[in-house]
Amino acid sequence: MATVRDVTVRLATWLDRLMPAGDRRDSLGAVLARYAADERPVTAELCAEVEHAAWTVSRHVALIFEPDGTAPPDVEARQWPPQDPAAVQARAGSVSQARRLADGTALIRIDGLDEVGLAQPYVDAAFTLARGARRLVLDLRANGGGDPATVALIAGWLLGDEAVQLSEVVDRERRRQWWTPDRPPGSALRQEACVLVSRATFSSGEALAYHLQARERAYVVGEVTPGAADHVLPIRLAPTVLAHVPRAHVVDAVTGKNWEGTGVVPDLRVAAGDALEAALTAMDK
């Protein structure tokens, strides 16, 4: 049976393999070193304890306890499996709402960021319906993140027809730039825009809100988000423990920073359940 020591030592080893060198990796290593002599059998509760300790450095770290797991620990990094196209189609690319309110506001709710090749038809349909609306509210309060390319696709609808650099993703070996796509002339939306966020807005969901706020393209309303700005890979540390291990971090092209630890701080802070009404009131002023 795996112990806490087994899991944390393997996690530290994977951090050294995957994460860019620097203060954050060293700090995560120091957190894990606290468990170097912990021979308790690993449990869901102990996974949560280590996970929460790691969150002081990287909010993305996850230790998922699978009591019936039998697969051996990974020796090579693996990638995220491709999404099931049928599942993405069934949820319309995570676009759960696209409608006009009585006052002419376009309300678009997107609860995840599915792979861009699968999500694009639904995202484009939702934003096309917003054309000619009085204003736009983008609801990300339940958005748990996903594909950075879908972040770029959505941001492009609001940031203009010409491509705009959003960020760089920094890993051990390179810096990858993310840009919005070039759009047909006159096709981007120009209306006043507001983004709704909550404590459930996570990862790439936070990225979308952050990039729009940093470019003063959208007014952000709701709760401070968790603050998860790393990219991660799924790594099995033990038959019963699957980890999400940081491999890279995001740097916004405007601020030179990201939202790790601080979260996306709304321009107007209100409870998530009150965010839509508060946003509409603020936009009326």
Side-chain angles (χ1 to χ4, degrees):
M1 181 178 292
T3 67
V4 174
R5 178 186 181 281
D6 295 332
V7 168
T8 54
V9 168
R10 288 172 189 160
L11 177 54
T13 299
W14 275 105
L15 289 170
D16 287 342
R17 288 179 64 178
L18 295 177
M19 197 172 184
D23 291 343
R24 293 186 67 237
R25 192 180 74 182
D26 293 344
S27 295
L28 263 179
V31 169
L32 298 175
R34 302 174 198 167
Y35 299 92
D38 194 332
E39 298 293 345
R40 291 176 291 175
V42 70
T43 63
E45 291 75 19
L46 291 174
C47 281
E49 178 184 326
V50 175
E51 186 180 79
H52 281 75
W55 285 357
T56 60
V57 182
S58 174
R59 185 59 177 76
H60 257 109
V61 172
L63 296 176
I64 302 160
F65 185 66
E66 299 175 337
D68 298 325
T70 59
D74 287 328
V75 295
E76 297 295 335
R78 50 178 167 147
Q79 302 299 314
W80 292 99
Q83 290 186 293
D84 177 4
V88 176
Q89 292 166 6
R91 60 176 174 262
S94 295
V95 179
S96 62
Q97 191 172 152
R99 64 189 181 98
R100 292 285 179 96
L101 304 182
D103 66 357
T105 300
L107 175 62
I108 300 173
R109 174 176 164 175
I110 303 178
D111 294 338
L113 297 161
D114 292 313
E115 291 177 14
V116 69
L118 301 174
Q120 183 165 3
Y122 305 100
V123 169
D124 285 348
F127 281 89
T128 298
L129 287 172
R131 197 178 305 282
R134 175 185 171 200
R135 56 197 182 182
L136 172 67
V137 174
L138 177 59
D139 187 350
L140 303 179
R141 286 176 291 180
N143 194 300
D147 189 353
T150 308
V151 172
L153 171 68
I154 295 170
W157 272 98
L158 295 171
L159 291 177
D161 300 334
E162 295 184 1
V164 173
Q165 185 184 351
L166 295 178
S167 66
E168 288 188 321
V169 175
V170 182
D171 64 22
R172 286 178 65 93
E173 299 177 352
R174 63 174 183 166
R175 301 172 72 99
R176 177 178 179 178
Q177 294 183 349
W178 286 97
W179 291 69
T180 63
D182 284 313
R183 300 186 52 80
S187 65
L189 300 180
R190 304 293 181 182
Q191 301 100 317
E192 179 184 11
C194 182
V195 175
L196 311 183
V197 295
S198 78
R199 287 188 292 270
T201 309
F202 194 71
S203 189
S204 291
E206 296 178 271
L208 179 53
Y210 186 92
H211 295 324
L212 293 173
Q213 184 186 52
R215 289 152 184 78
E216 299 183 349
R217 180 60 184 91
Y219 188 70
V220 178
V221 177
E223 299 166 339
V224 178
T225 64
D230 286 327
H231 286 206
V232 296
L233 290 177
I235 303 292
R236 184 161 296 281
L237 303 178
T240 55
V241 180
L242 179 69
H244 294 175
V245 181
R247 65 160 185 86
H249 63 271
V250 179
V251 179
D252 181 86
V254 169
T255 67
K257 303 176 183 179
N258 61 38
W259 57 98
E260 181 68 50
T262 62
V264 178
V265 180
D267 300 295
L268 175 60
R269 294 175 62 170
V270 298
D274 299 328
L276 176 57
E277 182 178 354
L280 295 174
T281 298
M283 294 170 87
D284 279 335
K285 293 181 180 178

